[in-house]
Structures are given as C-alpha cells and as structure tokens.
C-alpha cells in the first residue's frame, strides 16, 4: 500500500499528461461542420499587421464545442441575411510570440507568457458579409490598432454602430464575449481557460 502511495503522484501526472495530449489533438476544422463559412484567414497571407505569412495554409481550427457554437451562430446570421467571415481562429503559441515581439502591447496582442484565447482554440476574429459576399461596414479593417476599432467608441456612423450591434448581439447569444479594443474579436466564455496549444497547422 505504501508503495502505491509513493507512485500515486506519478499516476496523477501521467493521467494529467494523457488528458492534456487528448485535448491537444482535439481541434477541429470549421469546414468539417459546415461549408457555409467564408474564410479570409489573414495570417495565411501577407495582408496582416506583420506583413508576413505566419500560417502555412488557410485553416480555421477550434475546440469542438467552440466550433459547434460558431456553427449555430452562423445559422442565426444566415437567417438574417449574413454569413460569418473568419479572419483568425486557433493560433499556435509560436505565432503569438512573433506577434508579441512586434507589438508588445497587451491591449492589442496577448503576452505569450499568459497566452491568448486564440492559442486555446477558443477565440475568433470575424466579421459579417451579406449573402452576396459583400463585407458590411464595421468602421475599420481587422487588426486596426486604434480607438476607431474599440467597441465603446460610439462616435461612428449609425450604419456602422448598427452593424456592430448585429454582430455582437448574435455572438453573445451563442456564448461568446466581446473585448473592448477589437470589434472583430470574440472569446468563447466556457473555454477561456482551456490549455494553451502549440500544434502546427496540419496543412498536408
Ligand atoms: Zn483575436
């Protein structure tokens, strides 16, 4: 019995390790839920604030529960004449470190020592397009680092404020929360504390 007690911490460690590994492998591509999303994954191109291609391919990976909630949100928006367009989903920790090296400002980029909710597969950067594929006006582009992008900036045209409200109301009703400095960013509340991951994109 005493021998078992001595080994107990190792059993717990192994259990936690295997649980972590299982979770690590648990990201799903949003395309496997639905093909109705538009993907405009900016970090798979040079059209981003680093002007550098950071992902080897254009993929939106998320924890399954987050993907399911997002899929439900997309149905909600489709009923209202819009479709979700995704700028960023899961982001490997190695990419977070590159971003932080360029913009070490926690208002706009999460410190990799803590990790972004994107690194946990539970955050999204997104906007809405009409069913004809036209972007609706949200006042700024994705990754605009300034006051115009803040969600408490009401000094904007009525149309923009209405568009942002449509986006926020819809996302909130499916378990997502806004952040103050970026109108495009949403965290899935239930998975805010999921483990930080550094799995490369499975591009091949
Ligand atoms: Zn974001």
């Amino acid at each position: 019995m005493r021998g078992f007690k001595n080994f107990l911490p190792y059993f717990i460690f192994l259990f936690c390790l295997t649980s972590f590994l299982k979770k690590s492998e648990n990201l799903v591509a949003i395309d496997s839920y639905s093909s109705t999303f538009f993907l405009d994954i900016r970090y798979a191109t040079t059209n981003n604030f680093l002007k550098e291609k950071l992902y080897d391919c254009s993929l939106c990976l998320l924890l399954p529960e987050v993907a399911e909630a997002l899929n439900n949100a997309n149905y909600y928006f489709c009923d209202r004449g819009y479709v979700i367009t995704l700028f960023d989903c899961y982001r490997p920790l190695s990419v977070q470190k590159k971003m932080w090296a360029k913009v070490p400002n926690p208002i706009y980029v999460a410190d990799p020592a803590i990790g972004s909710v994107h690194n946990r597969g539970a955050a999204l950067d997104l906007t809405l397009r009409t069913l004809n594929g036209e972007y609706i006006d949200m006042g700024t582009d994705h990754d605009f680092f300034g006051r115009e992008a803040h969600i408490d900036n009401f000094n904007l045209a009525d149309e923009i404020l209405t568009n942002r409200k449509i986006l926020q109301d819809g996302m909130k009703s499916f378990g997502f929360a806004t952040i103050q400095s970026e109108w495009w960013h949403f965290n899935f509340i239930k998975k805010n504390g999921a483990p930080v991951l550094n799995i490369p994109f499975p591009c091949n």
Side-chain angles (χ1 to χ4, degrees):
M1 189 62 193
R2 186 167 177 178
F4 175 75
K5 273 187 183 165
N6 288 343
F7 282 108
L8 193 56
Y10 299 104
F11 286 130
I12 291 170
F13 171 74
L14 279 174
F15 175 77
C16 294
L17 183 65
T18 49
S19 302
F20 173 76
L21 290 174
K22 272 184 204 159
K23 279 178 189 162
S24 305
E25 290 160 2
N26 225 5
L27 295 169
V28 293
I30 195 67
D31 322 52
S32 65
Y33 279 80
S34 166
S35 58
T36 57
F37 291 92
F38 282 124
L39 260 62
D40 182 7
I41 305 295
R42 298 286 177 94
Y43 303 131
T45 73
T46 55
N47 181 20
N48 59 64
F49 73 100
L50 291 173
K51 308 286 178 220
E52 194 183 323
K53 190 173 186 266
L54 299 164
Y55 299 162
D56 291 335
C57 57
S58 177
L59 264 181
C60 173
L61 301 174
L62 293 165
L63 295 174
E65 204 178 329
V66 184
E68 210 170 312
L70 184 67
N71 199 31
N72 290 333
N74 202 33
Y75 283 128
Y76 164 95
F77 287 120
C78 284
D79 280 347
R80 288 156 180 79
Y82 304 105
V83 63
I84 288 177
T85 298
L86 295 154
F87 295 129
D88 195 29
C89 305
Y90 160 70
R91 180 190 305 154
L93 186 64
S94 58
V95 173
Q96 192 67 35
K97 288 178 181 171
K98 280 190 183 178
M99 290 177 173
W100 180 252
K102 188 103 169 185
V103 182
N105 179 347
I107 295 172
Y108 295 110
V109 176
D111 184 342
I114 299 161
S116 161
V117 185
H118 282 289
N119 305 141
R120 302 167 197 277
L124 297 150
D125 294 347
L126 54 80
T127 190
L128 298 174
R129 287 198 227 186
T130 65
L131 298 181
N132 296 328
E134 289 161 10
Y135 282 95
I136 69 167
D137 191 355
M138 293 292 188
T140 76
D141 199 358
H142 172 243
D143 276 354
F144 177 92
F145 297 146
R147 177 79 187 133
E148 291 92 324
H150 293 192
I151 63 164
D152 58 355
N153 175 17
F154 298 105
N155 189 21
L156 297 163
D158 287 348
E159 185 195 348
I160 295 168
L161 295 175
T162 302
N163 290 342
R164 287 188 183 184
K165 187 170 168 16
I166 290 167
L167 178 65
Q168 289 165 12
D169 287 353
M171 292 301 287
K172 283 178 185 170
S173 60
F174 291 92
F176 293 91
T178 53
I179 62 167
Q180 184 262 341
S181 55
E182 301 176 351
W183 61 258
W184 55 83
H185 180 105
F186 294 88
N187 291 324
F188 189 64
I189 300 166
K190 272 202 268 177
K191 292 289 177 181
N192 261 351
V196 167
L197 306 170
N198 195 26
I199 307 162
F201 275 33
C203 291
N204 300 315

